[in-house]
mmCIF file of all heavy atoms in Angstrom:
data_model
loop_
_atom_site.group_PDB
_atom_site.id
_atom_site.type_symbol
_atom_site.label_atom_id
_atom_site.label_comp_id
_atom_site.label_asym_id
_atom_site.label_seq_id
_atom_site.Cartn_x
_atom_site.Cartn_y
_atom_site.Cartn_z
ATOM 1 N N VAL F 1 141.301 -39.047 11.632
ATOM 2 C CA VAL F 1 140.525 -37.828 11.458
ATOM 3 C C VAL F 1 141.144 -36.898 10.424
ATOM 4 O O VAL F 1 140.451 -36.298 9.604
ATOM 5 C CB VAL F 1 140.332 -37.114 12.833
ATOM 6 C CG1 VAL F 1 139.733 -35.739 12.663
ATOM 7 C CG2 VAL F 1 139.532 -37.941 13.775
ATOM 8 N N GLN F 2 142.504 -36.762 10.446
ATOM 9 C CA GLN F 2 143.152 -35.813 9.538
ATOM 10 C C GLN F 2 143.285 -36.358 8.119
ATOM 11 O O GLN F 2 142.970 -35.685 7.162
ATOM 12 C CB GLN F 2 144.538 -35.458 10.069
ATOM 13 C CG GLN F 2 144.488 -34.460 11.225
ATOM 14 C CD GLN F 2 145.889 -33.993 11.600
ATOM 15 O OE1 GLN F 2 146.855 -34.715 11.404
ATOM 16 N NE2 GLN F 2 145.971 -32.768 12.108
ATOM 17 N N SER F 3 143.759 -37.566 7.967
ATOM 18 C CA SER F 3 144.055 -38.109 6.640
ATOM 19 C C SER F 3 142.901 -38.898 6.010
ATOM 20 O O SER F 3 142.876 -39.109 4.800
ATOM 21 C CB SER F 3 145.272 -39.049 6.719
ATOM 22 O OG SER F 3 144.937 -40.262 7.392
ATOM 23 N N GLY F 4 141.970 -39.342 6.839
ATOM 24 C CA GLY F 4 140.892 -40.171 6.311
ATOM 25 C C GLY F 4 141.290 -41.623 6.065
ATOM 26 O O GLY F 4 140.500 -42.445 5.625
ATOM 27 N N GLU F 5 142.566 -41.936 6.400
ATOM 28 C CA GLU F 5 143.057 -43.306 6.195
ATOM 29 C C GLU F 5 142.335 -44.296 7.143
ATOM 30 O O GLU F 5 142.149 -44.009 8.327
ATOM 31 C CB GLU F 5 144.547 -43.338 6.494
ATOM 32 C CG GLU F 5 145.168 -44.724 6.338
ATOM 33 C CD GLU F 5 146.656 -44.769 6.720
ATOM 34 O OE1 GLU F 5 147.277 -43.696 6.806
ATOM 35 O OE2 GLU F 5 147.163 -45.874 6.913
ATOM 36 N N VAL F 6 141.926 -45.399 6.562
ATOM 37 C CA VAL F 6 141.201 -46.455 7.310
ATOM 38 C C VAL F 6 142.212 -47.549 7.681
ATOM 39 O O VAL F 6 143.068 -47.947 6.884
ATOM 40 C CB VAL F 6 140.057 -47.041 6.460
ATOM 41 C CG1 VAL F 6 139.425 -48.284 7.150
ATOM 42 C CG2 VAL F 6 139.011 -45.999 6.193
ATOM 43 N N SER F 7 142.145 -48.042 8.928
ATOM 44 C CA SER F 7 142.997 -49.137 9.368
ATOM 45 C C SER F 7 142.191 -50.129 10.164
ATOM 46 O O SER F 7 141.072 -49.839 10.632
ATOM 47 C CB SER F 7 144.148 -48.584 10.228
ATOM 48 O OG SER F 7 143.661 -47.907 11.381
ATOM 49 N N TYR F 8 142.743 -51.311 10.304
ATOM 50 C CA TYR F 8 142.111 -52.413 11.016
ATOM 51 C C TYR F 8 143.072 -52.844 12.143
ATOM 52 O O TYR F 8 143.899 -53.745 11.944
ATOM 53 C CB TYR F 8 141.802 -53.556 10.067
ATOM 54 C CG TYR F 8 140.841 -53.122 8.990
ATOM 55 C CD1 TYR F 8 141.287 -52.549 7.775
ATOM 56 C CD2 TYR F 8 139.487 -53.272 9.140
ATOM 57 C CE1 TYR F 8 140.420 -52.093 6.799
ATOM 58 C CE2 TYR F 8 138.567 -52.850 8.157
ATOM 59 C CZ TYR F 8 139.049 -52.278 7.008
ATOM 60 O OH TYR F 8 138.175 -51.845 6.035
ATOM 61 N N PRO F 9 142.987 -52.222 13.314
ATOM 62 C CA PRO F 9 143.990 -52.441 14.364
ATOM 63 C C PRO F 9 144.034 -53.871 14.902
ATOM 64 O O PRO F 9 145.050 -54.279 15.441
ATOM 65 C CB PRO F 9 143.580 -51.462 15.460
ATOM 66 C CG PRO F 9 142.156 -51.148 15.209
ATOM 67 C CD PRO F 9 141.964 -51.255 13.723
ATOM 68 N N MET F 10 142.960 -54.633 14.733
ATOM 69 C CA MET F 10 142.934 -56.029 15.170
ATOM 70 C C MET F 10 142.927 -56.971 13.968
ATOM 71 O O MET F 10 142.545 -58.103 14.083
ATOM 72 C CB MET F 10 141.700 -56.296 16.061
ATOM 73 C CG MET F 10 141.617 -55.480 17.306
ATOM 74 S SD MET F 10 142.807 -56.041 18.522
ATOM 75 C CE MET F 10 142.561 -54.810 19.757
ATOM 76 N N GLY F 11 143.289 -56.422 12.809
ATOM 77 C CA GLY F 11 143.327 -57.228 11.596
ATOM 78 C C GLY F 11 141.927 -57.340 10.969
ATOM 79 O O GLY F 11 140.958 -56.794 11.489
ATOM 80 N N ARG F 12 141.870 -58.015 9.822
ATOM 81 C CA ARG F 12 140.620 -58.170 9.121
ATOM 82 C C ARG F 12 139.652 -59.198 9.738
ATOM 83 O O ARG F 12 138.489 -59.232 9.399
ATOM 84 C CB ARG F 12 140.879 -58.574 7.655
ATOM 85 C CG ARG F 12 141.591 -57.525 6.843
ATOM 86 C CD ARG F 12 140.689 -56.394 6.492
ATOM 87 N NE ARG F 12 141.391 -55.458 5.633
ATOM 88 C CZ ARG F 12 140.768 -54.673 4.809
ATOM 89 N NH1 ARG F 12 139.474 -54.691 4.683
ATOM 90 N NH2 ARG F 12 141.472 -53.864 4.059
ATOM 91 N N HIS F 13 140.194 -60.002 10.674
ATOM 92 C CA HIS F 13 139.346 -61.049 11.286
ATOM 93 C C HIS F 13 139.502 -60.974 12.784
ATOM 94 O O HIS F 13 140.048 -61.914 13.413
ATOM 95 C CB HIS F 13 139.722 -62.431 10.747
ATOM 96 C CG HIS F 13 139.638 -62.517 9.268
ATOM 97 N ND1 HIS F 13 138.433 -62.598 8.598
ATOM 98 C CD2 HIS F 13 140.571 -62.478 8.317
ATOM 99 C CE1 HIS F 13 138.644 -62.624 7.302
ATOM 100 N NE2 HIS F 13 139.938 -62.551 7.083
ATOM 101 N N PRO F 14 139.044 -59.900 13.404
ATOM 102 C CA PRO F 14 139.187 -59.794 14.868
ATOM 103 C C PRO F 14 138.275 -60.786 15.609
ATOM 104 O O PRO F 14 137.344 -61.309 15.005
ATOM 105 C CB PRO F 14 138.756 -58.352 15.159
ATOM 106 C CG PRO F 14 137.742 -58.056 14.072
ATOM 107 C CD PRO F 14 138.286 -58.776 12.871
ATOM 108 N N GLU F 15 138.559 -61.012 16.852
ATOM 109 C CA GLU F 15 137.760 -61.858 17.686
ATOM 110 C C GLU F 15 137.340 -61.037 18.910
ATOM 111 O O GLU F 15 138.071 -60.199 19.404
ATOM 112 C CB GLU F 15 138.553 -63.088 18.150
ATOM 113 C CG GLU F 15 139.015 -63.949 16.990
ATOM 114 C CD GLU F 15 139.942 -65.056 17.388
ATOM 115 O OE1 GLU F 15 140.651 -64.938 18.418
ATOM 116 O OE2 GLU F 15 139.952 -66.057 16.658
ATOM 117 N N GLY F 16 136.143 -61.379 19.431
ATOM 118 C CA GLY F 16 135.753 -60.689 20.647
ATOM 119 C C GLY F 16 134.300 -60.892 20.980
ATOM 120 O O GLY F 16 133.530 -61.373 20.168
ATOM 121 N N LEU F 17 133.950 -60.541 22.185
ATOM 122 C CA LEU F 17 132.617 -60.579 22.674
ATOM 123 C C LEU F 17 132.318 -59.318 23.449
ATOM 124 O O LEU F 17 133.193 -58.767 24.118
ATOM 125 C CB LEU F 17 132.378 -61.762 23.656
ATOM 126 C CG LEU F 17 132.319 -63.130 23.049
ATOM 127 C CD1 LEU F 17 132.302 -64.176 24.186
ATOM 128 C CD2 LEU F 17 131.101 -63.328 22.158
ATOM 129 N N ILE F 18 131.071 -58.831 23.332
ATOM 130 C CA ILE F 18 130.626 -57.763 24.190
ATOM 131 C C ILE F 18 129.293 -58.285 24.764
ATOM 132 O O ILE F 18 128.478 -58.875 24.043
ATOM 133 C CB ILE F 18 130.418 -56.390 23.482
ATOM 134 C CG1 ILE F 18 130.200 -55.306 24.463
ATOM 135 C CG2 ILE F 18 129.354 -56.445 22.419
ATOM 136 C CD1 ILE F 18 130.414 -53.890 23.895
ATOM 137 N N LEU F 19 129.160 -58.145 26.082
ATOM 138 C CA LEU F 19 128.009 -58.662 26.798
ATOM 139 C C LEU F 19 127.301 -57.531 27.517
ATOM 140 O O LEU F 19 127.952 -56.668 28.120
ATOM 141 C CB LEU F 19 128.457 -59.684 27.842
ATOM 142 C CG LEU F 19 129.406 -60.784 27.430
ATOM 143 C CD1 LEU F 19 129.868 -61.606 28.602
ATOM 144 C CD2 LEU F 19 128.728 -61.684 26.378
ATOM 145 N N TYR F 20 126.002 -57.493 27.418
ATOM 146 C CA TYR F 20 125.150 -56.555 28.172
ATOM 147 C C TYR F 20 124.163 -57.394 28.978
ATOM 148 O O TYR F 20 123.472 -58.214 28.423
ATOM 149 C CB TYR F 20 124.371 -55.617 27.222
ATOM 150 C CG TYR F 20 125.201 -54.691 26.448
ATOM 151 C CD1 TYR F 20 125.672 -54.961 25.163
ATOM 152 C CD2 TYR F 20 125.638 -53.444 27.059
ATOM 153 C CE1 TYR F 20 126.467 -54.071 24.464
ATOM 154 C CE2 TYR F 20 126.445 -52.593 26.335
ATOM 155 C CZ TYR F 20 126.858 -52.890 25.060
ATOM 156 O OH TYR F 20 127.663 -52.014 24.348
ATOM 157 N N THR F 21 124.137 -57.164 30.294
ATOM 158 C CA THR F 21 123.265 -57.955 31.193
ATOM 159 C C THR F 21 122.028 -57.149 31.569
ATOM 160 O O THR F 21 122.013 -55.920 31.527
ATOM 161 C CB THR F 21 123.993 -58.374 32.471
ATOM 162 O OG1 THR F 21 124.297 -57.209 33.256
ATOM 163 C CG2 THR F 21 125.261 -59.145 32.129
ATOM 164 N N PHE F 22 120.954 -57.895 31.936
ATOM 165 C CA PHE F 22 119.714 -57.229 32.328
ATOM 166 C C PHE F 22 119.903 -56.328 33.532
ATOM 167 O O PHE F 22 119.180 -55.344 33.685
ATOM 168 C CB PHE F 22 118.609 -58.256 32.611
ATOM 169 C CG PHE F 22 117.937 -58.786 31.392
ATOM 170 C CD1 PHE F 22 118.188 -60.062 30.930
ATOM 171 C CD2 PHE F 22 117.084 -57.986 30.638
ATOM 172 C CE1 PHE F 22 117.550 -60.540 29.791
ATOM 173 C CE2 PHE F 22 116.474 -58.416 29.467
ATOM 174 C CZ PHE F 22 116.673 -59.727 29.086
ATOM 175 N N ASP F 23 120.860 -56.672 34.409
ATOM 176 C CA ASP F 23 121.022 -55.866 35.617
ATOM 177 C C ASP F 23 121.991 -54.702 35.456
ATOM 178 O O ASP F 23 122.395 -54.054 36.399
ATOM 179 C CB ASP F 23 121.437 -56.746 36.805
ATOM 180 C CG ASP F 23 122.686 -57.546 36.548
ATOM 181 O OD1 ASP F 23 123.168 -57.613 35.419
ATOM 182 O OD2 ASP F 23 123.184 -58.151 37.546
ATOM 183 N N GLY F 24 122.354 -54.400 34.178
ATOM 184 C CA GLY F 24 123.078 -53.141 33.875
ATOM 185 C C GLY F 24 124.578 -53.199 33.863
ATOM 186 O O GLY F 24 125.247 -52.207 34.045
ATOM 187 N N TYR F 25 125.132 -54.379 33.592
ATOM 188 C CA TYR F 25 126.591 -54.477 33.445
ATOM 189 C C TYR F 25 126.965 -54.908 32.026
ATOM 190 O O TYR F 25 126.191 -55.527 31.309
ATOM 191 C CB TYR F 25 127.137 -55.480 34.472
ATOM 192 C CG TYR F 25 127.088 -54.923 35.875
ATOM 193 C CD1 TYR F 25 125.923 -55.107 36.639
ATOM 194 C CD2 TYR F 25 128.125 -54.193 36.398
ATOM 195 C CE1 TYR F 25 125.839 -54.551 37.918
ATOM 196 C CE2 TYR F 25 128.046 -53.634 37.676
ATOM 197 C CZ TYR F 25 126.885 -53.831 38.425
ATOM 198 O OH TYR F 25 126.791 -53.273 39.677
ATOM 199 N N MET F 26 128.222 -54.568 31.662
ATOM 200 C CA MET F 26 128.724 -54.927 30.337
ATOM 201 C C MET F 26 130.178 -55.374 30.481
ATOM 202 O O MET F 26 130.850 -55.048 31.441
ATOM 203 C CB MET F 26 128.561 -53.737 29.360
ATOM 204 C CG MET F 26 129.353 -52.502 29.701
ATOM 205 S SD MET F 26 131.118 -52.486 29.384
ATOM 206 C CE MET F 26 131.163 -52.962 27.692
ATOM 207 N N SER F 27 130.615 -56.117 29.444
ATOM 208 C CA SER F 27 132.002 -56.531 29.375
ATOM 209 C C SER F 27 132.373 -56.598 27.910
ATOM 210 O O SER F 27 131.623 -57.164 27.134
ATOM 211 C CB SER F 27 132.214 -57.883 30.070
ATOM 212 O OG SER F 27 133.587 -58.282 29.930
ATOM 213 N N ALA F 28 133.486 -56.017 27.565
ATOM 214 C CA ALA F 28 134.018 -56.043 26.162
ATOM 215 C C ALA F 28 135.385 -56.600 26.162
ATOM 216 O O ALA F 28 136.250 -56.219 26.936
ATOM 217 C CB ALA F 28 133.993 -54.640 25.590
ATOM 218 N N GLN F 29 135.586 -57.605 25.265
ATOM 219 C CA GLN F 29 136.887 -58.245 25.078
ATOM 220 C C GLN F 29 137.149 -58.275 23.563
ATOM 221 O O GLN F 29 136.357 -58.840 22.836
ATOM 222 C CB GLN F 29 136.852 -59.690 25.595
ATOM 223 C CG GLN F 29 136.362 -59.839 27.018
ATOM 224 C CD GLN F 29 137.429 -59.503 28.051
ATOM 225 O OE1 GLN F 29 138.589 -59.791 27.870
ATOM 226 N NE2 GLN F 29 137.016 -58.863 29.128
ATOM 227 N N LEU F 30 138.235 -57.644 23.122
ATOM 228 C CA LEU F 30 138.544 -57.605 21.667
ATOM 229 C C LEU F 30 139.977 -58.026 21.473
ATOM 230 O O LEU F 30 140.866 -57.545 22.174
ATOM 231 C CB LEU F 30 138.424 -56.200 21.139
ATOM 232 C CG LEU F 30 137.100 -55.476 21.171
ATOM 233 C CD1 LEU F 30 136.818 -54.891 22.550
ATOM 234 C CD2 LEU F 30 137.111 -54.388 20.145
ATOM 235 N N GLY F 31 140.227 -58.897 20.485
ATOM 236 C CA GLY F 31 141.579 -59.320 20.196
ATOM 237 C C GLY F 31 141.774 -59.597 18.716
ATOM 238 O O GLY F 31 140.838 -59.842 17.984
ATOM 239 N N SER F 32 143.038 -59.532 18.312
ATOM 240 C CA SER F 32 143.344 -59.905 16.956
ATOM 241 C C SER F 32 143.123 -61.403 16.759
ATOM 242 O O SER F 32 143.434 -62.167 17.684
ATOM 243 C CB SER F 32 144.825 -59.590 16.638
ATOM 244 O OG SER F 32 145.085 -58.219 16.728
ATOM 245 N N GLY F 33 142.658 -61.806 15.589
ATOM 246 C CA GLY F 33 142.529 -63.238 15.308
ATOM 247 C C GLY F 33 143.905 -63.857 15.189
ATOM 248 O O GLY F 33 144.832 -63.225 14.683
ATOM 249 N N GLY F 34 144.065 -65.083 15.675
ATOM 250 C CA GLY F 34 145.336 -65.812 15.525
ATOM 251 C C GLY F 34 146.485 -65.222 16.332
ATOM 252 O O GLY F 34 147.649 -65.246 15.865
ATOM 253 N N ARG F 35 146.238 -64.760 17.505
ATOM 254 C CA ARG F 35 147.292 -64.179 18.349
ATOM 255 C C ARG F 35 148.339 -65.260 18.687
ATOM 256 O O ARG F 35 148.034 -66.421 18.850
ATOM 257 C CB ARG F 35 146.698 -63.646 19.685
ATOM 258 C CG ARG F 35 145.777 -62.458 19.409
ATOM 259 C CD ARG F 35 145.008 -62.077 20.657
ATOM 260 N NE ARG F 35 145.924 -61.445 21.629
ATOM 261 C CZ ARG F 35 145.821 -61.616 22.935
ATOM 262 N NH1 ARG F 35 144.915 -62.382 23.480
ATOM 263 N NH2 ARG F 35 146.659 -61.014 23.746
ATOM 264 N N GLU F 36 149.593 -64.833 18.758
ATOM 265 C CA GLU F 36 150.700 -65.752 19.086
ATOM 266 C C GLU F 36 150.561 -66.210 20.527
ATOM 267 O O GLU F 36 150.281 -65.409 21.410
ATOM 268 C CB GLU F 36 152.055 -65.049 18.921
ATOM 269 C CG GLU F 36 152.436 -64.810 17.487
ATOM 270 C CD GLU F 36 152.828 -66.113 16.768
ATOM 271 O OE1 GLU F 36 153.429 -66.964 17.360
ATOM 272 O OE2 GLU F 36 152.486 -66.194 15.567
ATOM 273 N N ARG F 37 150.746 -67.498 20.752
ATOM 274 C CA ARG F 37 150.729 -68.044 22.097
ATOM 275 C C ARG F 37 152.068 -67.837 22.776
ATOM 276 O O ARG F 37 153.121 -67.765 22.060
ATOM 277 C CB ARG F 37 150.401 -69.561 22.050
ATOM 278 C CG ARG F 37 148.975 -69.818 21.517
ATOM 279 C CD ARG F 37 148.678 -71.294 21.579
ATOM 280 N NE ARG F 37 147.341 -71.563 21.061
ATOM 281 C CZ ARG F 37 146.244 -71.513 21.832
ATOM 282 N NH1 ARG F 37 146.311 -71.202 23.076
ATOM 283 N NH2 ARG F 37 145.066 -71.786 21.300
ATOM 284 N N PHE F 38 152.068 -67.704 24.095
ATOM 285 C CA PHE F 38 153.314 -67.627 24.859
ATOM 286 C C PHE F 38 154.026 -68.977 24.800
ATOM 287 O O PHE F 38 153.406 -70.040 24.702
ATOM 288 C CB PHE F 38 153.026 -67.288 26.311
ATOM 289 C CG PHE F 38 152.490 -65.903 26.565
ATOM 290 C CD1 PHE F 38 152.000 -65.544 27.796
ATOM 291 C CD2 PHE F 38 152.452 -64.936 25.542
ATOM 292 C CE1 PHE F 38 151.518 -64.298 28.047
ATOM 293 C CE2 PHE F 38 151.974 -63.674 25.790
ATOM 294 C CZ PHE F 38 151.519 -63.349 27.038
ATOM 295 N N LYS F 39 155.322 -68.946 24.851
ATOM 296 C CA LYS F 39 156.113 -70.200 24.926
ATOM 297 C C LYS F 39 155.845 -70.982 26.200
ATOM 298 O O LYS F 39 155.793 -72.165 26.241
ATOM 299 C CB LYS F 39 157.581 -69.914 24.752
ATOM 300 C CG LYS F 39 157.961 -69.464 23.339
ATOM 301 C CD LYS F 39 159.405 -69.133 23.238
ATOM 302 C CE LYS F 39 159.692 -68.605 21.836
ATOM 303 N NZ LYS F 39 160.960 -67.900 21.723
ATOM 304 N N SER F 40 155.661 -70.230 27.278
ATOM 305 C CA SER F 40 155.396 -70.824 28.591
ATOM 306 C C SER F 40 153.890 -71.013 28.787
ATOM 307 O O SER F 40 153.098 -70.232 28.298
ATOM 308 C CB SER F 40 155.956 -69.883 29.682
ATOM 309 O OG SER F 40 155.549 -70.296 30.964
ATOM 310 N N GLN F 41 153.534 -72.022 29.563
ATOM 311 C CA GLN F 41 152.131 -72.229 29.945
ATOM 312 C C GLN F 41 151.770 -71.394 31.160
ATOM 313 O O GLN F 41 150.603 -71.350 31.584
ATOM 314 C CB GLN F 41 151.851 -73.729 30.223
ATOM 315 C CG GLN F 41 152.006 -74.600 28.984
ATOM 316 C CD GLN F 41 151.101 -74.154 27.871
ATOM 317 O OE1 GLN F 41 149.909 -73.932 28.045
ATOM 318 N NE2 GLN F 41 151.659 -73.993 26.703
#
């Protein structure tokens, strides 16, 4: 708001889904593309 600087917090290629259902529910999931996997399963 102050500087006008634009940023891409999830990178230039984010991944995600937002769902809207007929019965009035929604779900939003947003992530950076290519997230590092945990070493452990």
Side-chain angles (χ1 to χ4, degrees):
V1 172
Q2 284 188 331
S3 70
E5 179 183 345
V6 172
S7 61
Y8 298 87
M10 300 287 175
R12 294 287 185 153
H13 304 286
E15 299 172 333
L17 288 172
I18 192 165
L19 311 173
Y20 292 97
T21 66
F22 279 109
D23 57 349
Y25 289 88
M26 61 77 54
S27 179
Q29 309 280 323
L30 299 80
S32 297
R35 296 171 71 216
E36 288 289 323
R37 295 184 181 272
F38 292 170
K39 289 179 184 163
S40 170
Q41 294 303 311

